[in-house]
Amino acid sequence: MEEEAKVKLHWLNGSRAQSTLWLLEELEIPYELEIYRRQKSMMAPPELKKIHPLGKSPVVTVTPPGATEPIVLAESGFVVQYLCDHFPKGASLTPERWKDGQAHKVGGETEEWMRYQYLLYYIEGSFMSTVVLQFILSGMKGNSVPFYIRPITTMIANQLIGMVVFPNMKRHFGMMEQFLETSPGDGSYMCGRNLTGADMMLAYPLIAGKDGAFDSLGKWEKGSFKETFPKLHAYSERLAEEPGWKRSVEKIKEIEGSFSILPTPPGQPPSARI
């Protein structure tokens, strides 16, 4: 029997590593999980720096057959691309690149593939930078801030959310709504009729925010995130019902006893259990 590559996901609670775990489930390959838990500061533990210099998650290590040192994969888009390129089931999660008879020609790419490539970069770059900023500003209003200065930090955070985060999130959600309205082949996913790695990358932030967190950002045009962006909300609901996502959640429940999609420090009851 041919020796297989050894794949390990370094999983951090309340992080995009959950989307990577879903990807591994869809790829149907053997893998190991190493669990890391956030510190009281909400930062990742220092042990992750032993795997990758930035000490962040998700990180995937892949040890090829016969090798003694693993390949270290970081950044969600690169992880998705590498794993889909190297494992058989990955082909079904990546759109066909070329139109018939147009291989290697400028403009010969399919719309599905162009969307997919764009989203791999967009999600990590433009979209998640706004999501992370919202997370940081929300922390300025939380219990980790001393109570006697919390009114000041809360006021500053709310102003920045209103001036920077909320307007940008509306633009992001508006574009995603348009992507779904114009999905190739009247598909129900971002790149068409089939689930792709890009959908999995979007799953974590959208599922985390769909049930109220997005509503708290500001005043939505039609009263709520769900009413303002109905296709995007429905898409988020579908992602949460995908069998692979559910398996990834159950995997964590088996190990941890429960699952919280939001980052939770040790000793604090999670605010969003599934």
Side-chain angles (χ1 to χ4, degrees):
M1 188 177 188
E2 186 179 350
E3 186 181 356
E4 296 180 327
K6 295 178 180 178
V7 178
K8 179 186 285 189
L9 169 61
H10 299 264
W11 182 94
L12 176 68
N13 67 303
S15 79
R16 283 167 279 171
Q18 194 63 34
S19 289
T20 308
L21 181 53
W22 178 12
L23 173 63
L24 292 174
E25 285 291 320
E26 293 289 343
L27 290 173
E28 298 180 6
I29 57 174
Y31 64 87
E32 296 179 54
L33 264 181
E34 186 157 341
I35 303 294
Y36 300 81
R37 297 176 183 85
R38 293 184 183 274
Q39 304 174 89
K40 288 184 178 180
S41 64
M42 298 301 291
M43 300 297 288
E47 289 81 5
L48 267 170
K49 289 183 181 177
K50 297 176 183 177
I51 311 301
H52 187 275
L54 295 181
K56 296 182 179 181
S57 178
V59 173
V60 174
T61 53
V62 180
T63 307
T68 56
E69 294 295 326
I71 300 165
V72 180
L73 307 175
E75 302 298 338
S76 295
F78 180 48
V79 170
V80 168
Q81 205 159 33
Y82 188 91
L83 294 179
C84 287
D85 282 349
H86 286 81
F87 293 96
K89 288 283 184 178
S92 66
L93 302 174
T94 307
E96 287 288 334
R97 179 168 184 175
W98 302 109
K99 301 172 187 174
D100 290 344
Q102 298 296 308
H104 306 292
K105 294 181 180 179
V106 176
E109 295 88 355
T110 64
E111 182 183 354
E112 291 87 346
W113 187 86
M114 290 294 286
R115 282 182 175 228
Y116 175 71
Q117 286 294 307
Y118 169 74
L119 287 168
L120 291 184
Y121 293 90
Y122 158 76
I123 295 165
E124 282 291 280
S126 300
F127 181 54
M128 283 309 302
S129 61
T130 306
V131 173
V132 171
L133 178 58
Q134 164 63 16
F135 172 67
I136 293 169
L137 293 174
S138 296
M140 291 172 60
K141 303 190 288 183
N143 294 333
S144 60
V145 178
F147 74 92
Y148 51 87
I149 63 168
R150 200 177 304 153
I152 299 172
T153 60
T154 297
M155 179 182 69
I156 294 170
N158 285 337
Q159 287 181 341
L160 289 171
I161 289 170
M163 292 169 56
V164 180
V165 174
F166 188 49
N168 275 289
M169 289 298 264
K170 286 194 290 186
R171 282 193 287 270
H172 286 303
F173 292 152
M175 188 187 75
M176 292 183 201
E177 184 83 1
Q178 187 178 37
F179 263 52
L180 291 167
E181 288 173 352
T182 60
S183 180
D186 292 324
S188 55
Y189 297 103
M190 284 290 169
C191 302
R193 296 178 178 177
N194 299 318
L195 177 73
T196 70
D199 297 297
M200 294 177 198
M201 287 176 62
L202 277 173
Y204 175 78
L206 292 182
I207 292 173
K210 69 182 178 65
D211 291 326
F214 292 149
D215 286 340
S216 67
L217 291 174
K219 187 176 181 180
W220 295 97
E221 181 182 340
K222 296 184 179 179
S224 68
F225 165 73
K226 178 179 179 179
E227 296 301 320
T228 306
F229 303 107
K231 288 186 179 294
L232 183 58
H233 184 271
Y235 167 76
S236 306
E237 296 277 12
R238 289 196 300 274
L239 292 181
E241 292 301 314
E242 285 282 344
W245 173 263
K246 287 186 169 183
R247 289 197 303 273
S248 76
V249 170
E250 289 303 316
K251 182 78 68 173
I252 297 304
K253 284 182 178 180
E254 290 171 10
I255 298 170
E256 296 284 88
S258 62
F259 172 77
S260 174
I261 196 166
L262 296 179
T264 306
Q268 180 175 314
S271 56
R273 289 245 186 236
I274 293 178

